[in-house]
Amino acid sequence: MENERRTARWGAAGLEWFSLPLLVLVWYLLAVVVDHRLFPTPVTVVRELWELALHRSLIADVGKTLARAAIAFVTAMGLGIVLGALLGRLRSVDRLFGSWIIIGLNIPAIVVAITCYIWLGLTEFALILAVVVNKTPLVTVTMREGVRALDQGYGELAQVYRVPFWRRMRLFVLPQLMPYVLTAARTGLSLIWKIVLVFEVLGSDGGVGFRIGIFFQNFDIAGILSYTVAFMTVVIFLEYAVMRRLEAKVLGWRPAFQSR
């Protein structure tokens, strides 16, 4: 039985490792079939990526975008967790501000960005604020549902045995909330990258989105794809090196995760 599980895990890992090479192969075959300068091959893009890294500001642009995304991510997660906890615990507060959350979830990101830029100018603070405003409602809703789903039986048990507050939080509350925190973090990362890039195109003094906007004006598709590959490499590294390891450590006790 154990051998079968080990074989299944190795088979699943093999499929994951094969996924990206398969994507590159499909890209290469499509580029060969299309055979047009606006559809470069992976080789052309990698060569352009190398030249940009050596002679231009690719590393600086990626670093600037990552810094903006990191600040916005941490701020939005912190605010969303606090607001979600309040809305989940206090029904009156949820009724009062529930419509605000709905508006925040559905207001177009481009409207928030343009408004912040008009009010605050094309500044770093305006860009990060716009991203936070767009991301916080999603985290709030996720955490609100997590707080509502807490098993009250554990709370009663802790109260009967007079478990201290912080110990109760660590042993009973946080383990139940962590799946919701990780879900909010993963969806938040996937959205924040995109939002930051779009806002950088609208107005910034550097970053991946800013540079892609310049490449777009020059119809430089190789440059656009080069920056895209560089940025997605960082995102994939964060997914496998950080998020999945954190998920395995925090949720490793769950059978659903172990059979993944």
Side-chain angles (χ1 to χ4, degrees):
M1 190 68 177
E2 184 62 29
N3 291 334
E4 293 179 359
R5 290 180 179 176
R6 187 179 297 110
T7 302
R9 286 197 295 267
W10 277 105
L15 289 175
E16 285 197 51
W17 282 107
F18 182 67
S19 177
L20 289 178
L22 178 61
L23 176 62
V24 174
L25 177 61
V26 172
W27 175 9
Y28 178 80
L29 293 176
L30 287 175
V32 171
V33 171
V34 174
D35 191 23
H36 194 277
R37 68 178 184 85
L38 296 181
F39 201 136
T41 65
V43 176
T44 302
V45 172
V46 170
R47 187 183 301 116
E48 181 72 11
L49 176 64
W50 178 254
E51 293 180 359
L52 290 170
L54 286 179
H55 305 296
R56 301 184 188 180
S57 56
L58 183 143
I59 296 177
D61 286 332
V62 172
K64 186 170 290 188
T65 297
L66 288 176
R68 290 165 175 164
I71 295 172
F73 174 77
V74 172
T75 306
M77 285 295 296
L79 290 174
I81 289 174
V82 173
L83 293 175
L86 289 175
L87 296 180
R89 290 289 294 176
L90 305 175
R91 292 286 179 163
S92 58
V93 176
D94 185 30
R95 292 189 182 96
L96 179 61
F97 296 105
S99 58
W100 293 26
I101 302 300
I102 295 175
I103 293 173
L105 286 171
N106 292 281
I107 190 170
I110 193 70
V111 173
V112 177
I114 292 175
T115 302
C116 287
Y117 281 148
I118 291 175
W119 286 345
L120 303 174
L122 298 177
T123 63
E124 197 84 0
F125 177 74
L127 190 153
I128 294 174
L129 177 63
V131 178
V132 171
V133 170
N134 276 277
K135 174 65 182 71
T136 300
L138 181 60
V139 180
T140 301
V141 169
T142 304
M143 295 310 302
R144 180 183 63 184
E145 298 307 314
V147 172
R148 287 178 178 177
L150 288 175
D151 190 339
Q152 299 302 321
Y154 289 113
E156 295 174 0
L157 179 65
Q159 188 174 5
V160 169
Y161 286 96
R162 298 180 180 179
V163 179
F165 174 77
W166 290 112
R167 185 175 176 83
R168 185 188 312 174
M169 291 291 295
R170 181 171 62 87
L171 296 179
F172 298 104
V173 177
L174 288 180
Q176 296 183 72
L177 290 180
M178 283 310 297
Y180 296 91
V181 173
L182 291 175
T183 299
R186 176 170 275 114
T187 55
L189 282 175
S190 64
L191 289 175
I192 279 180
W193 306 130
K194 302 169 188 175
I195 295 174
V196 169
L197 293 183
V198 172
F199 291 177
E200 286 179 343
V201 172
L202 290 177
S204 67
D205 59 349
V208 175
F210 171 79
R211 199 68 58 184
I212 287 177
I214 295 177
F215 288 141
F216 168 72
Q217 296 173 12
N218 297 321
F219 291 92
D220 187 353
I221 190 65
I224 294 175
L225 293 179
S226 298
Y227 264 73
T228 303
V229 169
F231 195 71
M232 291 312 301
T233 300
V234 176
V235 172
I236 291 173
F237 173 79
L238 291 175
E239 167 67 20
Y240 283 91
V242 179
M243 292 302 300
R244 295 214 175 182
R245 290 189 178 185
L246 180 62
E247 190 177 37
K249 183 177 181 180
V250 175
L251 304 180
W253 55 272
R254 299 177 67 190
F257 180 81
Q258 290 175 346
S259 61
R260 183 175 170 177

